Amino acid sequence: MSYLSIRDLDLNGKRLFIRVDFNVPLQKNERGEMEITSDKRIKASLPTIQHALEHGAGVILASHLGRPKGKPNPEMSLKPAAVRLAELLGRPVKMAPDCVGPEVEAMKPAPGEVLLLENLRFHAEEEKNDAEFARQLAALCDLYVNDAFGSAHRAHASTEGMIRFVPKAAAGLLMEAELKYLGMATTNPARPCVAILGGAKVSDKIEVIQNLGKVVDKLLIGGAMAYTFLKAQGLPTGKSLVEDDKVELAGNLLKELGGKLMLPVDHVVVSEIAAGAANEVVEAIPADKIAVDIGPRTIAAYAEVIASCKTVIWNGPMGIFEKPPFDKGTVALASAVAGSGAISVVGGGDSEKAIKAAGVTSKITHVSTGGGASLEFLAGIALPGVKALG
């Protein structure tokens, strides 16, 4: 779809509203103050903010943080984000007491100034996509940019509603990169193209499997959802996690996708799930065992497919990644993807952690900042925050 980029806007002397994703993790320090434990999302927004400032805009930033349930909650204030952003930008960042109202209106930034609004979700109207609330947000600015891909799958006032009330809306540089790489991977990939899908439930990835099945040359399945597919083939799954109500669906997907879909041929199994638990590699899962990772033959088979590919799409771990040594399959595939030289597009969450653990982040073409949003994009679902820009 076509949409404007921030590069297409004349920003000089304008007040620019940028919807960012500052939904950062916070924890209390020894003084009882909230502190940011990872500023990755703030850093991801810097190119767009700096572009706006360099082109003469007064910048208004807005984000949600956590789930305050439509009421102010000091533990979910964006004040720590304002402090960190000021350090990263090397210039003052004014912190608004709210995101709408006369006090905020009076703080509208001049060119070169940055104002961060307070948590949008302190107002229930944000998630309800209330038209009046959206209008109040739009009244603060001349132009609008959405750079919060991680929230693009939500039709909220700041991501969708307010776009109706601004003269021009565009994508920020981070949003642009997300749409470029995810779009390239799912509509016109360099071939051969492979998708690696993991995670616990087939039900979470049905639409993704069906949509990517039309696009990719091979679909490599791992994680607990593999056992639902294996059960559909009549193979033993022991005490492994299986969605019994999705076995028939898995069987239909196997028929639909034919030879495209690859499943594990061996498994790491345990008697109980615990970090460092005694484990063994088997081809058929015994009745009293739980499969927790893909085995070495599966790793080799999957790595061989990955090595020959020009495009790799990856979402979800191959095993119980958070309990070593059951992260081996996931980390091995991260290394295979990095070594393939292919265009690689990776969904957030555990896949991103695996890439870090394997020390190969710099060799991945694009790591998505939006777990839920990237999953919906891969499923072929139109994202409201993106659709509104068109």
Side-chain angles (χ1 to χ4, degrees), residues 141-191:
C141 67
D142 303 308
L143 300 166
Y144 171 93
V145 159
N146 193 344
D147 209 33
F149 178 75
S151 299
H153 58 315
R154 309 282 187 219
H156 292 169
S158 66
T159 58
E160 198 265 351
M162 68 180 285
I163 295 172
R164 292 170 221 157
F165 305 114
V166 293
K168 272 188 184 172
L173 302 178
L174 176 63
M175 175 75 85
E176 210 177 22
E178 293 274 12
L179 298 177
K180 173 188 169 184
Y181 287 110
L182 285 163
M184 190 195 311
T186 52
T187 53
N188 188 26
R191 296 194 180 278

Side-chain angles (χ1 to χ4, degrees), residues 13-353:
K14 302 288 197 323
R15 274 192 301 273
L16 177 67
F17 186 110
I18 307 177
R19 176 49 161 102
V20 288
D21 182 2
F22 285 179
N23 186 25
V24 292
L26 296 172
Q27 68 178 26
K28 272 188 187 168
N29 61 21
E30 62 279 1
R31 296 186 303 278
E33 300 161 341
M34 300 308 289
E35 256 181 8
I36 294 171
T37 57
S38 168
D39 62 3
K40 184 183 72 176
R41 286 179 171 166
I42 299 175
K43 283 179 174 170
S45 72
L46 290 177
T48 296
I49 296 168
Q50 284 164 332
H51 176 93
L53 292 169
E54 283 161 15
H55 288 78
V59 175
I60 300 162
L61 303 174
S63 178
H64 75 281
L65 199 164
R67 297 180 185 277
K69 299 181 179 174
K71 293 192 285 261
N73 180 337
E75 293 193 355
M76 294 181 200
S77 170
L78 280 161
K79 284 173 189 168
V83 173
R84 184 66 187 124
L85 179 62
E87 290 167 357
L88 291 166
L89 286 175
R91 67 170 76 205
V93 173
K94 291 192 288 183
M95 183 68 210
D98 201 344
C99 53
V100 290
E103 275 186 280
V104 181
E105 298 251 353
M107 294 178 78
K108 285 179 182 176
E113 289 183 345
V114 182
L115 172 69
L116 176 59
L117 304 183
E118 187 52 283
N119 192 338
L120 292 158
R121 288 190 186 170
F122 284 179
H123 292 262
E125 294 88 344
E126 160 67 0
E127 291 184 85
K128 288 176 183 169
N129 199 1
D130 178 80
E132 184 48 39
F133 183 70
R135 199 190 299 273
Q136 285 179 283
L137 291 172
L140 297 171
C141 67
D142 303 308
L143 300 166
Y144 171 93
V145 159
N146 193 344
D147 209 33
F149 178 75
S151 299
H153 58 315
R154 309 282 187 219
H156 292 169
S158 66
T159 58
E160 198 265 351
M162 68 180 285
I163 295 172
R164 292 170 221 157
F165 305 114
V166 293
K168 272 188 184 172
L173 302 178
L174 176 63
M175 175 75 85
E176 210 177 22
E178 293 274 12
L179 298 177
K180 173 188 169 184
Y181 287 110
L182 285 163
M184 190 195 311
T186 52
T187 53
N188 188 26
R191 296 194 180 278
C193 172
V194 64
I196 308 163
L197 292 178
K201 295 178 177 179
V202 178
S203 53
D204 290 343
K205 306 262 167 100
I206 294 165
E207 291 93 346
V208 178
I209 293 166
Q210 287 172 324
N211 192 51
L212 290 183
K214 300 171 201 162
V215 177
V216 303
D217 300 297
K218 285 282 181 195
L219 203 49
L220 314 181
I221 301 290
M225 71 174 180
Y227 313 124
T228 303
F229 281 103
L230 293 173
K231 189 160 186 178
Q233 290 183 321
L235 295 169
T237 55
K239 291 181 175 177
S240 309
L241 181 64
V242 169
E243 286 181 281
D244 287 315
D245 61 334
K246 295 291 181 285
V247 170
E248 189 182 342
L249 170 71
N252 292 337
L253 286 169
L254 283 162
K255 282 181 206 152
E256 208 177 293
L257 296 167
K260 276 190 181 184
L261 203 142
M262 286 179 72
L263 293 168
V265 291
D266 61 345
H267 318 271
V268 178
V269 298
V270 295
S271 297
E272 59 167 352
I273 295 172
N279 61 87
E280 60 181 317
V281 175
V282 298
E283 289 184 10
I285 302 167
D288 62 340
K289 299 285 185 183
I290 308 161
V292 288
D293 197 8
I294 56 174
R297 280 187 58 220
T298 304
I299 291 171
Y302 284 10
E304 190 180 342
V305 171
I306 292 163
S308 67
C309 280
K310 297 242 174 80
T311 306
V312 180
I313 304 159
W314 185 12
N315 189 290
M318 296 292 101
I320 302 180
F321 172 79
E322 63 279 9
K323 292 190 190 294
F326 314 129
D327 57 348
K328 276 187 186 166
T330 308
V331 172
L333 290 198
S335 298
V337 171
S340 68
I343 293 164
S344 48
V345 180
V346 174
D350 286 334
S351 314
E352 184 182 358
K353 285 179 196 163

